[in-house]
């Protein structure tokens, strides 16, 4: 005969006996939380891959600017940059495919578990139909994984900027370094791994290259908005599941007389023991995790740089040679 318990640790501390129905209710809550947490983990993988892509772009500009005498080694420099950027970009594209496929699969499982449909496919269809950036990067993903490396070209520009807008008036200036990775429209439109309608759409733009920064950022912005739809669609079932674990934690706390270190759910049948971590304080961390990465929904509006800006009580406020932006 089976014995069902709430326990502090794995039968190492206080225990409370419960019936089978209560055991199943708590286990159900644990099973609801699991796929939601796994989707959050997969999105974090995508977000970190994208941040590494952006960080590498910044590092390229730094290396280019500080390597003063690089004319003799320019070819090697650009070869390394191109290959590393391809590596970072493919990491983003691969993680995006993993995220989409795993999200839909886990939401299908969760729908069966909770008895109501949670389908995010309409969110992804909406961004596909409404965003050129999403369509291009979605197509580029197939091209990159099945045809050839995606990066067509890269240019690094330096621009002298004056605080007055006139470089001839001897006002303070600064040098701006810009790294511009690009997608070759010719390679894109010649790829048989890309949908003909999207190839025609890109070809009709009339340009030789597409700005990879713009399209990559727009792609992640769309995925972040889909992820927000996922969070909203799962909010109520997650709250109910966490309430169930909190109730179990409280039940054990009453018996123990103090807050348990961590709570487990136990089913014991003779020598066979089945255990589940249902500790509320540990599982409830997902609430904070679901607040991460919200800034990705506004990537295109962000301007992140390492320029020197004027700041209260900070030196310098102005300089005779360097333009300190307000």
């Amino acid at each position: 005969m089976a014995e069902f318990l709430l326990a502090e640790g794995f039968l190492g501390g206080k225990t409370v006996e419960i019936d089978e129905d209560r055991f199943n209710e708590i286990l159900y809550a644990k099973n609801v939380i699991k796929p939601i947490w796994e989707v959050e983990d997969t999105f974090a993988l995508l977000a970190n891959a994208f941040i590494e892509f952006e960080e590498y772009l910044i590092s390229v500009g730094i290396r280019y600017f500080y390597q003063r005498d690089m004319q003799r080694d320019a070819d090697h420099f650009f070869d390394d940059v191109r290959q590393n950027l391809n590596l970072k970009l493919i990491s983003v594209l691969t993680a995006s495919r993993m995220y989409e496929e795993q999200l839909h699969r886990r939401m299908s499982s969760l729908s069966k578990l909770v008895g109501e449909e949670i389908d995010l496919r309409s969110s992804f269809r909406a961004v596909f139909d409404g965003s050129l950036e999403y369509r291009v990067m979605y197509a580029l993903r197939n091209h990159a994984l099945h045809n050839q490396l995606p990066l067509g070209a890269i240019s690094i520009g330096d621009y002298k900027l004056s605080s007055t807008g006139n470089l001839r008036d001897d006002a303070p200036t600064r040098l701006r370094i810009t790294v511009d990775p690009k997608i070759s429209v010719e390679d894109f439109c010649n790829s048989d791994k890309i949908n003909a309608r999207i190839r025609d759409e890109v070809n009709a733009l009339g340009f030789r290259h597409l700005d990879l920064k713009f399209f990559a950022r727009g792609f992640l912005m769309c995925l972040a908005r889909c992820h927000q739809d996922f969070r909203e669609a799962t909010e109520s079932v997650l709250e109910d599941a966490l309430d169930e674990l909190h109730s179990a934690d409280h039940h054990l706390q009453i018996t123990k007389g103090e807050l348990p270190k961590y709570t487990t759910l136990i089913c014991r049948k003779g020598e066979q023991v089945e255990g589940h971590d249902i500790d509320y304080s540990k599982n409830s961390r997902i609430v904070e995790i679901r607040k991460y990465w919200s800034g990705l929904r506004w990537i295109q509006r962000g301007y992140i740089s390492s320029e020197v800006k004027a700041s209260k009580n900070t030196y310098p406020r102005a300089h005779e040679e360097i333009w300190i932006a307000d």
Side-chain angles (χ1 to χ4, degrees), residues 56-57 60 78 81-82 85 151-156 179-182:
Y56 185 69
L57 284 175
V60 170
F78 281 102
V81 168
R82 186 178 67 255
L85 267 176
L151 191 60
I154 182 171
S155 64
I156 303 178
V179 181
D180 293 313
K182 300 172 183 178

Side-chain angles (χ1 to χ4, degrees), residues 28 48 105 117 119 178 205 242 245 250 262 280 311 317:
Y28 165 82
N48 279 296
R105 187 168 65 251
E117 187 174 25
D119 190 350
T178 301
L205 296 174
L242 287 173
L245 297 194
H250 183 64
Y262 59 96
Y280 174 74
S311 180
R317 294 285 301 176

Side-chain angles (χ1 to χ4, degrees), residues 74-106:
D75 290 340
H76 290 95
F77 179 83
F78 281 102
D79 283 344
D80 290 344
V81 168
R82 186 178 67 255
Q83 293 302 332
N84 285 328
L85 267 176
N86 269 319
L87 176 63
K88 300 296 184 184
L89 177 58
I90 288 174
S91 293
V92 173
L93 295 173
T94 303
S96 72
R97 182 170 183 172
M98 179 190 303
Y99 168 72
E100 290 187 42
E101 291 184 356
Q102 292 191 15
L103 179 144
H104 294 315
R105 187 168 65 251
R106 289 194 169 94

Side-chain angles (χ1 to χ4, degrees), residues 58-207:
I58 293 173
S59 75
V60 170
I62 293 171
R63 288 178 180 275
Y64 177 83
F65 182 70
Y66 291 160
Q67 191 174 337
R68 303 306 299 172
D69 182 18
M70 65 172 296
Q71 297 306 314
R72 61 183 175 80
D73 201 31
D75 290 340
H76 290 95
F77 179 83
F78 281 102
D79 283 344
D80 290 344
V81 168
R82 186 178 67 255
Q83 293 302 332
N84 285 328
L85 267 176
N86 269 319
L87 176 63
K88 300 296 184 184
L89 177 58
I90 288 174
S91 293
V92 173
L93 295 173
T94 303
S96 72
R97 182 170 183 172
M98 179 190 303
Y99 168 72
E100 290 187 42
E101 291 184 356
Q102 292 191 15
L103 179 144
H104 294 315
R105 187 168 65 251
R106 289 194 169 94
M107 289 306 96
S108 177
S109 299
L110 183 61
S111 297
K112 294 175 183 176
L113 187 64
V114 302
E116 61 180 83
E117 187 174 25
I118 304 174
D119 190 350
L120 278 300
R121 287 177 176 81
S122 61
S123 296
F124 287 86
R125 284 194 296 269
V127 295
F128 186 92
D129 293 339
S131 169
L132 175 63
E133 301 98 282
Y134 186 90
R135 290 193 296 277
V136 165
M137 295 302 290
Y138 186 94
L140 188 71
R141 184 169 67 192
N142 289 333
H143 174 66
L145 297 181
H146 301 292
N147 201 44
Q148 70 179 87
L149 294 176
L151 191 60
I154 182 171
S155 64
I156 303 178
D158 50 71
Y159 308 92
K160 198 171 185 180
L161 305 175
S162 167
S163 58
T164 64
N166 185 350
L167 295 174
R168 298 180 180 180
D169 62 4
D170 295 324
T173 62
R174 64 182 176 194
L175 195 62
R176 177 179 178 178
I177 306 297
T178 301
V179 181
D180 293 313
K182 300 172 183 178
I183 305 166
S184 166
V185 170
E186 181 180 2
D187 289 345
F188 186 94
C189 293
N190 286 337
S191 175
D192 59 1
K193 298 299 182 180
I194 295 175
N195 180 279
R197 183 171 67 86
I198 298 176
R199 294 201 308 263
D200 291 344
E201 184 177 21
V202 168
N203 194 48
L205 296 174
F207 295 91

